[in-house]
Amino acid sequence: MNENFSGAGLPVDAPEAEIRKKSPFSIVWVVPLIAMLIGGWLVFKGLTEKGPTVTIAFKSAEGLEAGKTKIRYKDVEVGLVESIVLDEDLSRVLVTAELNKELKPYLTRKTRFWVVRARVSASEISGLGTLLGGAYIAIDPVKEGEPDRTFKGLEAPPVVTMDLPGRHYVLRADRLGSLSAGSPIYYRQIEVGQVESYEMDKEGRYVEIRIFVNDPYHQFIRQNTRFWNAGGFDLSVDANGLTVDSQSLATILMGGIAFDSPMALDSDELAENNHIFSLFDSRQTAMSQQYQAKRYWMVEFGGSVRGLTVGAPVEFRGLQVGRVLDIVCRVGKETGSDIVIAVLVEAEPERLLGKELIDNETEYRKFIDSLVAKGFRAQLKTGNILTGKLFVDLEFHPDAPPDAMRWDGEYPRLPSIPKSLDELLAVLKQLLAGIEKVPFTEIGQDLRAVVKNLSETIEVLEELTRRVNTEVAPEAAAMLRQTTKTLVEIQTSFGEDSTFNQNARQTLEELTNTAQALRMLADYLERHPEALIYGKGETK
């Protein structure tokens, strides 16, 4: 056996085999691993960079197109419409859009979407740029509020966006007038805001109008600020003549609202956001003093109330103290024939009485009872001769039949008296009734007797006149002629150029000369008394 071989049959000097372990990672897997990493990174990047998806409901998809219609904010593209489908009940269209991830914190319940199209209305022309570029969806992002992904799109662009500084307020009015969304708000004839929207109260009692006042003009709105409808003309006639007031040509055509704060009631307290105010019909009504205490009286009229309407004034000696709220016809339950017109009036007793008296119900009733006892009554009077409009006049009528205030029932009943025309008719009826009682037959017989006597008297007077003309008149004429002749003679004898008058003047002149000579003699004797003894020519 060969010594170079081991017992196992292998050569002794044969190199020992090196046993190496096979690497579990093959270079072949590098490529797919890198591909997986890139894919994962792409997926992560896609998930992290993907923006939120929202669903917006519109009434119509006019102008919208999936994959093309953009969502913009301040003319910057922030999203794209992915799909447009109909709602289950076919009442709306649901637009699904993906937005940029930066908008995720701004998708809350207050966020608003609307479609920007070309719009032409009486108040504005907007969106003309979409005629070429196509419609798009605008967004008004709001960060405050609960997050949301489903929205109801606006059918018209909002008048004010959330990023505009200022404050929102609510006005309540009996009627809307010519106001609409976008109507201007004026302060001292400067446009400071706009009407946002309006809606009817659920119970139909008033119209609620939301307005927005821009910063910094909202600082002029206090809690006592008065708002009034500034649309059209405000025409008034007073002692100064005819006054026509208007804010601008725009308010005449489109309507508008103006506000101011009464100086006498000025307050430093600013009105908070969404503060509720009343909207008055005119500046005069808005700026007049407002009274909080109201009292409601029922007044019954037996005659016609034609010309009396709801809202007609209630006056006391020319001062308006209330208004008419309702007019109904009531029939007596017992007889069925006592028909009266019941008028419900709203009185503002603060205009006449102190607030302390009004707040004390017992004293207040006692005071009203004393007024009624003195003849305090309600009466219908004509306020306008041309239109025939009536108003309720409160006045004292001491001669009115006794009556009292009735505090029972739903509303206190204030006694009334017929209106002036009814009173006139009543007087005429009484006069006619009195005339019917006049004995015209007996009076006629007496008149005939009087006429007969009068005729006889006239005949006597005619005979007397005839005798005067034939007997007395000739003698009177002769006497008159003789009297005239005598006067002429007197004038001739004693007139200015008569002989008697000339002689009298001559005598007066001689008397005057004599008096002058005597006065000269007296003066000479006073200076030369010795002349009485020695004569004028010698002196001692």
Side-chain angles (χ1 to χ4, degrees), residues 139-152:
I139 179 176
D140 181 23
V142 180
K143 198 171 186 178
E144 293 78 16
E146 297 181 7
D148 201 353
R149 293 293 185 272
T150 303
F151 302 91
K152 181 179 180 182

Side-chain angles (χ1 to χ4, degrees), residues 100-114:
N100 295 347
K101 66 176 183 178
E102 293 82 4
L103 289 178
K104 184 176 181 180
Y106 297 91
L107 297 176
T108 63
R109 289 187 176 180
K110 295 183 180 180
T111 301
R112 297 178 293 180
F113 294 87
W114 67 95

